Amino acid sequence: MTARADRRPLPGVVGRTVEHELVSGLLASAPLVTLTGAAGVGKSVLARAILEEHTARHDGTVLRVGCWDGLPEGGLAEALLRAARPADSTRRDTTAALVRRAAPTRVGEPVHGLAEPTEAPTGAATADDTAIAAIAAHCRRSRATVLLDDCDPLRDECAQLVRRLLRADPTLRIVATARGALGLPEERTVAITALPVTLGEGIAGPAVELLAARAGAATPELLVAVCQALEGSPLAIALAAQQLDRMSLPQLAAQVGSDGPLFYSGPAATVRHTSLYAAQAAGYALCSPLDRRVWARLSVLPSDFDPWLAGCVCTSCDVPAAAVEGALERLLTASVVERVRDAGGTQEDTGTALPPRYRLPRAARDFGRTQLREAGEEAAALRRFRQACAALAAEAQIAWQGPHQQVAVRLVEDEQANLDAALTRPPQDAEDALGALEIAVSLWFHWAACGFRREGRAHLDRLLLLSRDDTALRARALWLAGYLAAQEHALGAAEALLDEAWSAAVMHADSDGLARIAHAHGVLALYRGNTAAAVACLEEAARHRSRDPWFGPGPAHSWALLAVALSSPDPERARDAARRAWESRHSDGDFWLYSTVLYACAATERAHGEPAAALRACHAALAAKKLIGDPLFIAGAHDLLTGLRREVHDGEPPPDHDEKAPWWRPGGPDVPPRPFFSRLRTGP
């Protein structure tokens, strides 16, 4: 513990204007203001800067006590008395006498030094009561504001001291800094978060300003990259900036951007701020054994998570499932985890209830991963994580083929970073590799229908090399890889994969798999412009009675693509195929099928010379498709929509059959075929 009268000039504070104004305003009315936040976020620096300004304005002083180094004999009250001790020896002797718990004073005897003459407590009163009264009197005389800095290791003692000080003098002003609130009714808390990296497109935020002040002239993009990797943590930025003495900024950006813990260290005012590890270790030491285990196991989660996923990863024989949510709340109170979404409310477009979501910041995640590895639990936690992600993917697959297609899309979007990590982290053994392959196969709709074909192919190509056993799962993966290759216009790769999938389907007597292969060959024929072959393959797939309605496009979608293929050469058969597609659907919530059927109707009506009806159908197809994504289809629909508008509103004649652009190739007949462009993702 350190204690002193704090009147030194303070360093400048970057990017805290809002917090500065908020705390300064609360000091005028609230007896206790607590600055809370994670380790290294700059609570103490900000508190001291605000109090320096506040006391200068009111001609006062700051009475500071730092709590992290332990409680001396006599407790916090003694530490405050030492900080307030005047310079002259007479008052020092008086204060020392109070600290030594001198015998109780007689009623009516004045207390010299810090306290004004007053009636002393009765003989039953303790010296601590006298010390509290002396501190309160000193604060009144000196216009002093009490700063209880770093309260976490002595949280209960700090709360008790605040109660007694405010009981002695309700007009006192006390400021505290801690990772969590003290929990007193008089308390007003101000959360101090990491510094923003950007304030909008092209506008550098305070985090970049902090790094730039230490790095000097540098490329703004590199500064932003470093600050984003460090998540705007002032301590992390300061420690990283110290590494510029031995490496260039590009090297630093590459290092902080890599997936691994940051062990930077450097000189600091306190030992726990000399490294990110030390800062996290100080908070870890204050956690219960159960909370430490939960913290360490949460470190395998690369992004935000809900309580269900946290329970899957953390639950074991020494961490009951029922205890995980309580541990999450305690870690939240201690500013170890962050809550990125509160519980309550519903998804705007699906009506689904929203659970809370949490996030473990990078510094806490790196520290927890180190603890997990040292405890020999990393492999087990990673296996539980991949199993949980397999369950999430299976749930999304079922929702996709049911009445809640948008729920499936939102589920995958919410868990995108976790699913990506489960797919890309190297498997530990053959069983673990099959688990990763199962996730990729379950997400077939995400790759094939929602516009992420390139990502799906990359995952499948890699995982098929790691899972060479001849299993039914591998057969499905081969078909999916071939189907995605066909959709991406990689015709040679698609044929090779579909041939291998056909052999596996025959060996496993998988009639559903053979139908899916016929559907994929129909797509290949459409890309080659071979309408007769496409019609033959799609008819074969459409007439199959699927036994597994949860995987793949199924007969209804084969009918829909058949209607598209027939829209120009045989509009009547196209109408019949579109009707049969709609009649054989699984649910009214199948927007993927619905949009394709509507597109076929638009193409058919256009072929029949009904551009107004085609325009209405195309509008509806586009609206349905936008609910689930797939920019390739959307671009093609926009292209058709543009032509139909010209026909309806400008009276232009429809193009000749040979001039019509295929539905899968936007931009018209003069645009050469191009690989599918993957949708750009946002976020980390």
Side-chain angles (χ1 to χ4, degrees), residues 299-311:
S299 67
V300 301
L301 300 175
S303 182
D304 56 282
F305 53 88
D306 61 14
W308 179 85
L309 185 56

Side-chain angles (χ1 to χ4, degrees), residues 2 21 47 52 132-133 227 237 280 286 293 383 395 408 438 484 507 509 525 540 563 571 596 667-668:
T2 59
E21 291 299 320
E52 187 78 9
I132 293 296
C227 292
I237 291 171
Q280 297 299 323
L286 301 177
R293 295 188 199 102
R383 193 179 298 274
E395 179 185 348
E438 183 180 359
L484 295 177
M507 180 172 294
E540 178 185 346
T596 309

Side-chain angles (χ1 to χ4, degrees), residues 207-208 210-227 229-230 237 240-257 264:
V208 177
L210 180 63
L211 180 59
R214 298 168 184 255
T219 307
E221 289 78 10
L222 287 176
L223 295 174
V224 170
V226 171
C227 292
L230 299 175
I237 291 171
Q242 293 176 9
Q243 312 312 307
L244 294 174
D245 294 337
R246 60 184 183 86
M247 66 175 70
S248 66
L249 185 60
Q251 290 173 323
L252 178 64
Q255 192 171 93
V256 299
Y264 299 148

Side-chain angles (χ1 to χ4, degrees), residues 1 32 63-67 71 74-81 128-129 131-133 135-136 146-149 151 154-169 172 174-176 182 184 186:
M1 174 179 290
L32 172 63
L63 202 61
R64 178 185 178 273
V65 58
C67 304
L71 188 64
L76 288 170
E78 176 187 349
L80 280 174
L81 284 170
D128 277 350
D129 295 328
I132 293 296
I135 294 168
V146 175
L147 173 58
L148 300 178
D149 210 0
C151 294
L154 302 174
R155 183 177 177 276
D156 292 341
E157 290 85 347
C158 287
Q160 183 181 9
L161 176 65
V162 170
R163 288 193 196 97
R164 296 175 66 191
L165 286 172
L166 293 179
R167 193 180 301 125
D169 186 353
L172 281 179
I174 303 172
V175 175
L182 298 183
L184 298 175
E186 305 90 349

